[in-house]
Amino acid sequence: VIGQESIVYIVDQSSYTAIAPPGMKQSSVQCYCQLDVNRFLIGDMSGRLFILILYRKDDTEKEDKTSTSSSTTSKFGLKLIYLGEVSIPQCITYLDNNYIFVGSRLGDSQLVKLNLEANDSGNYIEIIDSFVNLAPIVDMLVVDLDKQGQDQLVTCSGFLKEGIGARFAI
């Protein structure tokens, strides 16, 4: 169960594991994608991409006093890792060989590679390709900027961090 500021894995009526990661505060989850039985990609309204890992705790594993995780006799743990920033996702699809497609209705869609090790900026993703999207077009105007009879369409496109101004000759 993913809430606004916490994630809970419910094993049964008396056993659960919950985390409230600081990186998730004031975030609005937009979409998710299941990679396998234990791993999920999560995209939020800020364009941040996370991986949620469900793991089985070892019996010898000591309780981390600094962790934000809590549980009631659960043998499972949750870990949320920040991977990097992408366009604000509407959908995320795992393709194959650590490649994902991030579909966005508010900005450019992207083909992204998930890396096993962080790069110099601490991100685990590499944007391979972007697919231009002008939607949503909030406003537009046809103008002759050079006064030479060559009209151009100027748009106010995108939303939030994806907002752009675009100009096209018509």
Side-chain angles (χ1 to χ4, degrees):
V1 178
I2 298 178
Q4 187 166 349
E5 295 184 357
S6 64
I7 301 172
V8 179
Y9 176 69
I10 301 170
V11 180
D12 57 34
Q13 290 181 351
S14 63
S15 181
Y16 69 91
T17 298
I19 59 171
M24 204 176 152
K25 293 212 183 293
Q26 298 177 5
S27 172
S28 178
V29 172
Q30 284 294 105
C31 58
Y32 73 94
C33 171
Q34 186 171 1
L35 298 178
D36 56 32
V37 231
N38 300 327
R39 298 179 303 156
F40 298 85
L41 290 174
I42 299 173
D44 73 2
M45 192 64 177
S46 300
R48 296 180 300 173
L49 187 64
F50 298 94
I51 187 165
L52 176 65
I53 302 170
L54 172 67
Y55 63 93
R56 187 168 185 85
K57 291 180 182 175
D58 188 358
D59 289 335
T60 61
E61 184 178 327
K62 297 195 184 215
E63 190 66 31
D64 183 6
K65 301 294 184 196
T66 63
S67 174
T68 56
S69 177
S70 64
S71 66
T72 307
T73 65
S74 175
K75 298 251 182 208
F76 296 96
L78 292 170
K79 188 173 212 173
L80 187 72
I81 301 170
Y82 173 73
L83 297 178
E85 189 170 326
V86 294
S87 292
I88 298 172
Q90 179 68 27
C91 65
I92 301 172
T93 302
Y94 181 72
L95 301 173
D96 199 11
N97 294 327
N98 293 335
Y99 284 91
I100 62 169
F101 177 76
V102 177
S104 179
R105 67 180 173 92
L106 302 175
D108 296 344
S109 295
Q110 297 170 325
L111 178 63
V112 177
K113 182 175 185 201
L114 302 175
N115 296 318
L116 297 176
E117 302 203 6
N119 60 18
D120 294 337
S121 57
N123 294 331
Y124 290 88
I125 62 170
E126 177 184 351
I127 297 175
I128 303 299
D129 203 355
S130 290
F131 306 96
V132 178
N133 178 13
L134 292 179
I137 296 177
V138 180
D139 199 4
M140 67 180 168
L141 181 65
V142 177
V143 294
D144 183 5
L145 294 174
D146 300 329
K147 305 286 186 213
Q148 296 181 3
Q150 181 65 36
D151 290 339
Q152 295 184 353
L153 179 65
V154 179
T155 68
C156 179
S157 302
F159 185 71
L160 295 174
K161 76 178 192 87
E162 308 299 337
I164 60 168
R167 188 170 73 176
F168 304 96
I170 53 175

